[in-house]
Amino acid sequence: MDFIKYSTEYLVITPTRVYGKNGLVEKDRVNIMVDKIDGVEVNRKLRDFIFGTGNITICSVGGRHTKTLGPVGKPYKLQELISEYVWEYQNKH
């Protein structure tokens, strides 16, 4: 399990789900089971390249729901980790 903490957000990635929140005033929350994840995208702007951050967008199966969290540190590492858990889950079931 990986736990990433910044001043106003947290993101927890487990082999079965991804959950977290971010935002100082309006909290944006995500709680998605790994079996419902269809894809993970990383979006970065110029400042993200400078600071090593980026936004992560998690797409659910069927494309009906997307959740964006960020900026988070090491977004490509997190994308890889989530994708790995999705792949492992799909191969077990």
Side-chain angles (χ1 to χ4, degrees):
M1 175 169 45
D2 291 290
F3 181 75
I4 290 68
K5 171 105 173 87
Y6 290 92
S7 59
T8 61
E9 69 184 54
Y10 71 88
L11 181 62
V12 179
I13 303 168
T14 72
T16 57
R17 69 182 175 147
V18 175
Y19 61 97
K21 71 176 177 85
N22 74 336
L24 191 57
V25 177
E26 294 184 22
K27 304 285 188 210
D28 187 22
R29 298 179 187 274
V30 63
N31 186 4
I32 300 176
M33 300 301 290
V34 169
D35 64 331
K36 303 295 184 199
I37 295 175
D38 192 33
V40 181
E41 298 176 2
V42 173
N43 300 305
R44 298 178 86 188
K45 297 181 179 176
L46 179 59
R47 71 174 181 270
D48 294 318
F49 284 101
I50 295 169
F51 295 109
T53 61
N55 291 330
I56 292 185
T57 302
I58 301 172
C59 305
S60 66
V61 173
R64 292 180 28 189
H65 302 289
T66 61
K67 280 292 193 180
T68 301
L69 288 171
V72 297
K74 301 180 182 177
Y76 290 110
K77 181 176 180 174
L78 296 178
Q79 178 188 34
E80 183 180 321
L81 182 64
I82 294 169
S83 297
E84 183 180 307
Y85 284 151
V86 169
W87 186 83
E88 286 177 4
Y89 181 85
Q90 290 173 344
N91 286 327
K92 285 182 182 178
H93 295 91

